[in-house]
């Protein structure tokens, strides 16, 4: 599940959500995507989270509603959705997301 | 569930975990507490997270292994464990945690 903050940065978060949704549709990706009002990392906006049952959660910041961020988010969301605990391998991390990681929380115990 | 980063800040995270565990024991609090190696917010160390099934997750940073942080973490952990979705009311937030909130993620949908 890819969650994008819709209140980030005066409309840019909402724009990022829409761009990601459109690109997922264009690529016919079966990826669940939703918006969320505020994930409390406003100074690092735009922000997006990855979550899933039994998986680590990630929060990325310093994103923008542009093609680079959209492609990178769809890439890591697909990696996170693979079977397993959702840990993202550094070697497979899109260049755009090699900085801006704000938090990684363990699976619910 | 209160989760404290054990790798934060060269031993201070581990010290915070032990201080919180000792204080919870002293107060006879039935609160689940555990350590976690790295929650990826190293520049905001020490860090601690609140998680629970069906609840919002919180990540707090800028903590220290001192009495103020310990008391504040036990307070919010008790609030977070109350029935409901785990949203923490601002009015009940311990003063020590009115800054340093790094992330708030929604419940797993």
């Amino acid at each position: 599940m890819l969650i994008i903050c819709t209140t980030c940065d005066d409309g840019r978060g909402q724009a990022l959500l829409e761009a990601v949704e459109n690109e997922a549709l264009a690529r016919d990706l079966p990826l669940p995507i939703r918006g969320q009002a505020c994930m409390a990392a406003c100074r690092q906006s735009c922000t997006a989270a990855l979550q899933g049952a039994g998986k680590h959660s990630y929060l990325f910041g310093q994103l923008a509603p542009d093609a680079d961020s959209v492609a990178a988010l769809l890439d890591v969301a697909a990696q996170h959705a693979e079977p397993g605990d959702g840990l993202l391998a550094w070697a497979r991390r899109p260049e755009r997301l090699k900085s801006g990681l704000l938090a990684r929380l363990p699976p619910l115990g």
Side-chain angles (χ1 to χ4, degrees), chain A:
Chain A
M1 162 80 74
L2 176 59
I3 301 171
I4 296 174
C5 179
T6 54
T7 46
C8 263
D9 212 5
D10 199 20
R12 283 160 55 88
Q14 180 67 35
L16 176 59
L17 172 63
E18 289 169 16
V20 166
E21 285 175 332
N22 288 339
E23 184 65 17
L25 205 63
R27 296 193 198 177
D28 202 15
L29 296 177
L31 188 69
I33 300 168
R34 70 179 181 85
Q36 167 72 24
C38 198
M39 296 193 279
C42 316
R43 271 180 281 185
Q44 303 282 345
S45 65
C46 299
T47 59
L50 297 170
Q51 287 186 314
K55 292 181 185 288
H56 287 76
S57 298
Y58 284 80
L59 181 65
F60 291 98
Q62 302 164 16
L63 301 168
D66 59 25
D68 254 18
S69 290
V70 169
L73 288 174
L74 291 176
D75 275 6
V76 289
Q79 293 172 21
H80 189 257
E82 293 169 5
D85 64 4
L87 273 178
L88 299 175
W90 180 254
R92 298 175 66 198
R93 189 81 51 88
E95 208 55 43
R96 179 66 179 79
L97 297 177
K98 285 193 170 171
S99 62
L101 176 59
L102 304 183
R104 179 185 56 231
L105 301 185
L108 278 176

